[in-house]
Structures are given as structure tokens and as C-alpha cells.
Amino acid sequence: MTPPFSAASLGCESAPVLRERGQREVFCGLTGIIWLHRKVQDAFFLVVGSRTCAHLLQSAAGVMIFAEPRFGTAIIEERDLAGMADCNEELDRVVDRLLGRRPDIKLLFLVGSCPSEVIKLDLSRAAARLSVKHAGTTKILNYSGSGIETTFTEGEDACLAALVPDLPTDTSETPSLMIVGALPDVVEDQFTRLFADLGIATVRWLPARRASDMPPVGVTTRFLLAQPFLGETARALEDRGARRLDALFPFGAEGTTNWLHAAAVAFGIDEMHFRRIIAPGRERAKRAIAHSGERLGGKRITFLPDSQLEIPLARFLATELNMIPVEVGTPYLHRRHLAQELALLPVDTLISEGQDVDKQLDRVRAAKPDLTVCGLGLANPLEAEGLTTKWAIELVFSPIHGFDQAGDLAELFARPLRRRDVLRL
């Protein structure tokens, strides 16, 4: 089957990229804990950081007073910063108390933050030491969620990359499929049913819902990225012999079709069988997307860099809803993973990597797009200037992958324009 769109037309694949370095407006990598702690049901994320880190997590998660979430913060106090206390002893005491109170924790992540990195607290050594101490009950790993040099979705990338070295080795000679990236359970279940209907027998997920179910990896592993921001995880899997299947990301009817088709080709699925299985979902998605087509068609849109979802989402809007991307900014551009996506963007789209927020805002004011996708801190000021905005963070926290979410994804972009039109009345 020929993919829905051909990468033969270059689009933006080889276009020059505007690279900017300056003041940025992004959340830190700790924010990824908000969806990861819900995904891995017997894991716990212990941030080694400040009270600011704790307040950020509690605010972002909207924790209820009666809830007992699977994350927390080991507070670095002034005595720790001044070198008056042994941070390792304090950390050991916190971990011992936590695991004594919560024996259900089978996987514990020690998550680095800006404060822990500033005082050079070696959490990798602490994780190794505590793993020995709690061997047989809890596996302890570490990764950095510091916001000093990362954008917030890279927290998930760092977390999954930390899991890869500890994944069991797959010695089977039969190829297996691994889907990489945390998705809502309902979306994961939808894809699981589709792969089963296609006839792909062995499909595993990273991360798994339980620590004991993390997938094996080896030279017969083929993997699809479900998220475009998992560069380090992909590299770690390839270092262990796994092979990435190149595809569009599963946003919209066409992106999802292409993503599933990459797996079908790799596993030798009959072409007519593939078409027959995906046809109902694909048609549902196209009908759902069409509801937003009249409002979005021909509208101009700018993405400010936030989550690394920008390029696949701009491709979806351009190819399936006839929107016009003016500028697509992304915190980091992984050309190899996004080659097919870039090839489908209109050739005159400005692609920018990194951020100098003042210069980008000047370009937004000059272009006056119909819709600007940006972070929370920029949305209200732009709205006050008469520009219509869309909160980028909502695209991370909402189920947007796959056929059954395609209409909801389109609606997320149509809603701000509908609100603007109503307010003008």
C-alpha cells in the first residue's frame, strides 16, 4: 500500500531552520511525572528538590487533599544547601521511611531537579546504593527532570531512557513490536485491539502499566515511537539492538494510518487485510475531523516551541484540515524522527528550533495569525493584544492519538476560534 502522503515532495524536509537561543518560556521536566505516575501503577517518583518543586507538582497535578499520589518531594533544606547536613544520609532516611510505609512500590525513581544538580548530589550513585539495600522488593532508578537545559516533555524521555538498560533481553528469534511512549490507557487499549486484529501477535508497551511487565528488548525488537520527543529513549533502544520503524506520528486519520502501516509492512501483513481492518476507524476519524474543517480551513496558525509535538500537529492541521502553518517552532528538532512529517509541511513554512521569546513574539505580532499555540505564560498577554491563542499544555494532557481521538484533536484547535467568534458577537 502506498502511504497516504508521499515523502517524494520535499516540503520542509530540507528547508533551512531558524535556530534561536535566548529567553525561553517552558515548564521543567518534572512536569512529566504528572502523567507518568498515573501510567506505571506500582511506581513512585521521588523528586529530590526544593519546596518550589513540590508546589509545582501539586499545582500541576491538582492533587486532592484525600489522595495519596505516587509522587512526592524530598525537600532540600537550607542546611543541605549550606553543606551542614549529609544529603545522602538524609535521602536514605527518606527512602527507607517511604518504602516502609508504602510496600506496594515496586519501582522507585529518584528524580533530579535544578537544586539537586546545583549542589552536585549524585543520584545515580544513590540509586545504585539504595537498590542494593532494597534488593528483592523495590527497583530504584534515577533520571534528571531539571529544567535548566530541558523542555518539560523531555522528563518522560529521560525516565524511559533510564528504564532501557534494565529491560530484560529478548532472546526470541520471532520479531516483536514495542510501542514507545506513555499514552492514556484507553488509547493504548484501542491500539492493542487494532494490532491484534491486524495479526501482529506480540505487542508490548514502554512504559508498561506495572513494573514487572516492562518489555524485553533485543535484535528482533521493532519499535514505533508514539511521541516525537523520545530521542534519547530511541537511541538507548537502538543501542540494545532494536530497530525503529519510520512513520508519521499517529495524529489524525492519515498520520494514524501511516503509523499502523509501518508496523504492518514490518510484520508482513497482507495489504488488503490491512486496508480492511483499518477502514472503519479511518472513516470514523475522517468524518469526525470534517466537523472542524469549515472553521479551520484556510486559517493561519503559528506554533511557539513548547512540547516537541509542534511539527506533527502542524502536519495534521495542514494536510487534513487545510490550515496554513506560518511558523512552526519546536524546542528541539530531531530531523531523523521527523523527516516524513517535515516533508508534508507547506514548503514556505518557517521552521524554528529553540527560542528567543521576544523575537518570536515580534514575528507573531507582525504575522497576526488566526491562532497562536503557546504556553500559559504567553497566552493571556497575546489575547490582550487581540490575538487568539491555544494553550499548548492541553495538547499534552489530552488523549489525541489514534483514529478515535482525531475529531477531539481537531476540536481542540477549533474551540478557541469558536470562542473568539462568540465574544465578537
Side-chain angles (χ1 to χ4, degrees), residues 248-261:
L248 298 176
F249 287 89
F251 301 125
E254 306 298 353
T256 303
T257 297
N258 183 283
W259 191 75
L260 293 168
H261 188 255

Side-chain angles (χ1 to χ4, degrees), residues 306-420:
D306 191 79
S307 64
Q308 296 187 47
L309 293 172
E310 293 83 11
I311 288 174
L313 291 176
R315 179 269 306 162
F316 160 68
L317 294 170
T319 58
E320 299 193 47
L321 284 155
N322 297 314
M323 292 195 78
I324 303 168
V326 177
E327 176 177 346
V328 183
T330 187
Y332 175 74
L333 178 62
H334 199 304
R335 278 193 175 273
R336 188 164 70 96
H337 292 174
L338 294 171
Q340 290 195 46
E341 302 282 358
L342 289 165
L344 296 172
L345 286 175
V347 70
D348 57 349
T349 305
L350 173 61
I351 305 296
S352 61
E353 179 184 29
Q355 188 171 38
D356 187 321
V357 68
D358 290 329
K359 292 181 179 179
Q360 266 190 329
L361 290 176
D362 287 343
R363 292 198 296 274
V364 169
R365 293 179 181 115
K368 291 183 170 56
D370 296 287
L371 185 62
T372 301
V373 183
C374 60
L376 297 173
L378 298 176
N380 283 347
L382 289 175
E383 291 276 350
E385 295 180 25
L387 293 165
T388 303
T389 63
K390 167 73 195 150
W391 290 355
I393 191 70
E394 192 176 0
L395 297 163
V396 177
F397 283 95
S398 301
I400 60 174
H401 298 71
F403 290 135
D404 291 320
Q405 284 66 236
D408 295 335
L409 175 57
E411 176 63 19
L412 287 174
F413 293 95
R415 194 178 300 147
L417 297 178
R418 186 180 300 112
R419 181 194 67 219
R420 178 199 65 187

Side-chain angles (χ1 to χ4, degrees), residues 110-122:
L110 303 180
V111 186
S113 64
C114 300
S116 67
E117 293 191 1
V118 166
I119 66 173
K120 302 294 190 287
L121 181 57
D122 191 340

Side-chain angles (χ1 to χ4, degrees), residues 289-308:
I289 291 168
H291 290 303
S292 301
E294 183 177 348
R295 190 170 296 275
L296 295 178
K299 297 296 193 298
R300 300 163 69 247
I301 185 168
T302 288
F303 284 85
L304 298 189
D306 191 79
S307 64
Q308 296 187 47

